[in-house]
């Protein structure tokens, strides 16, 4: 099971270089499992026992397995994750021609570790909006091949590089794509027009706009002397999306199960398709249109917010509280913060710990050092919007927000096992 899950995750990561592609990958797997796609612009005709999903903005997805038992009396079992990761996004007018080189201007999306982006083979993917025969349409594109690089400055010209330096995102991050003659002018939209034709056989009249990100072409892999680790891009948080999907597809029983994978977590979740937007609330209200029933169902529900946790790094162990240093391959981590940066409380943590014990899944705890700031997740945001009880958990990782992150090769199976048990739980606290 472990090897099969890890290989499936590697394939999912390869197919999901952007939130748009991740959402399409999730939808493809749901289609294959018999889930029916819902259109938010149309009336829904759902039935108990039915399997459904919807997307918004092509970058967020909610999948629902309606139970035969009423959610009003049995509650909802919700698992939440996010589809986005820190990256470099192409600017609207990106063309730069300097010193005979073609470059593209980029904007940093989210809290990215910038240094690892240097000297990597980069490709480009995302969504392109265009006009064709007088109509506006959009299509996902993925160049797949290495077409850009951000070379480091040689140590001879930056003698203090190993002492640390502040990376200027405006000046130092534009990737190099090619060498060009001085009088030759490059049109990035023309390149996108060619890619639409090559990849999708779409002949666009004009490219109107785009949302494109650079990504590392090196595929994810199981690594280590004893294959103890998974290394790859976007483990935060596509690993949780994949784990939630696998658990949902395995789910059996009469209770209603929901998987939520939303965009824009890395920049605060405040968008029409983010966790701080109305997507989940509107979806659940359409399933439970009676206001009293909706509130009763929410108060009987539980959300597992699954987002990666900080594993204790052997070179930087002092960055953790001495009693709360999660180990890789030692199971999912319950994340706690008294200032509500995580939404966990004793009741929700206790129930998750109970599930882990019943499934013989190891479980750990994380609290940030008292002299350090704490990150946050979709957990507190969703809890405050819906009023739903929440536990924040995640798989421990190294190099979070790097272009290549590291997780334990056993922990995906641990997470899928406990999320499957959660979806199958006959009773919630």
């Amino acid at each position: 099971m472990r090897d099969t899950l890890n290989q499936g995750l590697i394939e999912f990561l390869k197919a999901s270089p952007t939130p748009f592609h991740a959402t399409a990958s999730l939808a493809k797997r749901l289609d294959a499992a018999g889930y029916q796609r819902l259109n938010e612009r149309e009336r829904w005709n759902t039935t108990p026992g039915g399997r459904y999903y919807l997307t918004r903005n092509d970058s967020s997805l909610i999948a629902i397995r309606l139970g035969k038992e009423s959610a009003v009396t049995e509650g909802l079992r919700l698992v939440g994750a996010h589809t986005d990761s820190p990256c470099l996004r192409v600017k609207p007018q990106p063309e730069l021609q300097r010193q005979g080189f073609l470059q593209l201007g980029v904007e940093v999306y989210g809290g990215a570790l910038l240094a690892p982006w240097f000297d990597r083979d980069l490709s480009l993917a995302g969504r392109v909006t265009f006009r064709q025969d007088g109509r506006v349409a959009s299509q996902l594109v993925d160049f797949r091949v290495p077409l850009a690089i951000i070379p480091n400055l040689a140590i001879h010209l930056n003698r203090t590089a190993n002492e640390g330096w502040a990376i200027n995102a405006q000046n130092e991050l534009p990737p190099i794509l090619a060498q060009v003659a001085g009088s030759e002018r490059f049109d990035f939209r023309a390149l996108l027009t060619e890619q639409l034709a090559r990849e999708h056989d779409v002949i666009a009249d004009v490219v109107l706009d785009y949302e494109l990100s650079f990504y590392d072409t090196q595929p994810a892999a199981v690594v280590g002397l004893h294959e103890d680790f998974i290394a790859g891009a976007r483990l935060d948080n596509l690993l949780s999306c994949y784990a939630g999907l696998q658990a949902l597809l395995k789910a059996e029983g009469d209770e209603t199960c929901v998987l939520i994978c939303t965009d824009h977590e890395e920049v605060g979740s405040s968008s029409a398709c983010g966790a701080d937007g109305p997507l989940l609330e509107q979806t659940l209200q359409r399933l439970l249109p009676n206001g009293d029933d909706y509130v009763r169902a929410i108060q009987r529900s539980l959300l597992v917010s699954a987002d990666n946790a900080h594993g204790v790094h052997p070179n930087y162990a002092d960055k953790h509280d001495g009693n709360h240093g999660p180990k890789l391959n030692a199971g999912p981590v319950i994340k706690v913060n008294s200032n509500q940066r995580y939404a966990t409380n004793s009741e929700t943590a206790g129930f998750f710990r109970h599930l882990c014990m019943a499934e013989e899944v190891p479980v750990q705890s994380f609290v940030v050092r008292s002299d350090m700031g704490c990150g946050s997740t979709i957990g507190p945001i969703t809890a405050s919007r819906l009023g739903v009880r929440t536990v924040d958990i995640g798989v421990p990782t190294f190099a979070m927000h790097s272009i290549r992150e590291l997780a334990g090769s056993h922990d995906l199976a641990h997470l899928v096992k406990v999320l499957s048990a959660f979806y199958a739980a006959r009773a919630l606290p």
Side-chain angles (χ1 to χ4, degrees), residues 80-82 236-237 240 262 264-266 268-269 275-276 303-310 333 335-337 340-344 366 374-384 390-394 400:
H82 64 88
D236 176 24
N237 187 31
S240 298
T262 48
H264 300 139
E265 190 275 345
E266 299 294 358
S269 293
D276 201 20
L303 167 69
V304 176
S305 168
D307 200 350
N308 298 32
H310 296 293
V333 179
K335 299 190 282 187
V336 178
N337 182 259
Q340 293 300 296
R341 299 295 288 170
Y342 302 130
T344 306
F366 172 77
C374 182
S376 192
T377 70
I378 65 167
I381 294 171
T382 308
S384 62
T390 302
V391 57
D392 271 296
I393 62 98
M400 192 181 295

Side-chain angles (χ1 to χ4, degrees), residues 3-207:
D3 292 343
T4 300
L5 283 172
N6 288 343
Q7 187 56 45
L9 173 63
I10 289 170
E11 293 170 1
F12 177 62
L13 293 171
K14 183 178 181 179
S16 307
T18 72
F20 304 113
H21 290 82
T23 299
S25 298
L26 292 167
K28 181 178 179 181
R29 287 161 170 80
L30 289 164
D31 286 334
Y35 277 69
Q36 178 183 342
R37 186 167 189 149
L38 298 174
N39 188 331
E40 288 194 278
R41 298 181 178 184
E42 297 177 356
R43 184 179 297 277
W44 293 354
N45 294 306
T46 58
T47 58
R51 301 178 181 186
Y52 308 96
Y53 76 93
L54 61 98
T55 66
R56 183 179 289 187
N57 189 49
D58 299 325
S59 63
S60 294
L61 177 145
I62 296 178
I64 307 143
R65 197 207 66 177
L66 286 178
K68 296 179 181 178
E69 298 290 341
S70 170
V72 177
T73 57
E74 302 301 322
L76 304 162
R77 286 133 186 84
L78 305 111
V79 172
H82 64 88
T83 58
D84 61 321
S85 302
C87 62
L88 303 181
R89 296 273 176 92
V90 181
K91 291 181 176 180
Q93 296 173 262
E95 297 92 343
L96 300 171
Q97 293 185 208
R98 303 184 295 189
Q99 302 299 318
F101 291 96
L102 168 64
Q103 299 175 270
L104 294 181
V106 292
E107 185 178 16
V108 178
Y109 176 86
L113 272 172
L114 297 180
W117 280 82
F118 287 79
D119 305 323
R120 308 292 297 187
D121 298 340
L122 305 177
S123 193
L124 197 60
R127 182 171 66 178
V128 177
T129 301
F130 55 93
R131 188 175 66 215
Q132 183 183 42
D133 299 328
R135 301 186 65 180
V136 176
S138 294
Q139 185 64 257
L140 304 191
V141 299
D142 182 1
F143 284 81
R144 293 185 175 86
V145 299
L147 51 77
I149 194 166
I150 309 171
N152 255 302
L153 183 63
I155 188 71
H156 314 80
L157 303 178
N158 186 10
R159 294 289 184 180
T160 61
N162 291 330
E163 299 172 20
W165 85 99
I167 296 171
N168 185 296
Q170 175 71 16
N171 298 330
E172 298 181 70
L173 291 184
I176 294 174
L177 277 74
Q179 284 187 295
V180 292
S183 60
E184 181 183 355
R185 306 311 300 175
F186 175 74
D187 185 347
F188 182 58
R189 281 173 166 77
L191 177 67
L192 297 180
T193 302
E194 294 172 5
Q195 182 64 20
L196 285 169
R198 181 167 49 247
E199 186 176 348
H200 299 292
D201 199 26
V202 169
I203 307 302
D205 300 331
V206 61
V207 169

Side-chain angles (χ1 to χ4, degrees), residues 220-236:
V222 176
V223 303
L225 182 62
H226 305 298
E227 299 187 336
D228 288 329
F229 314 111
I230 299 177
R234 302 176 299 282
L235 293 177
D236 176 24

Side-chain angles (χ1 to χ4, degrees), residues 328-355:
L328 270 61
N329 288 318
V333 179
I334 299 172
K335 299 190 282 187
V336 178
N337 182 259
S338 296
N339 295 304
Q340 293 300 296
R341 299 295 288 170
Y342 302 130
T344 306
N345 61 32
S346 61
E347 183 180 63
T348 59
F351 181 69
F352 188 80
R353 196 178 299 276
H354 159 72
L355 287 176

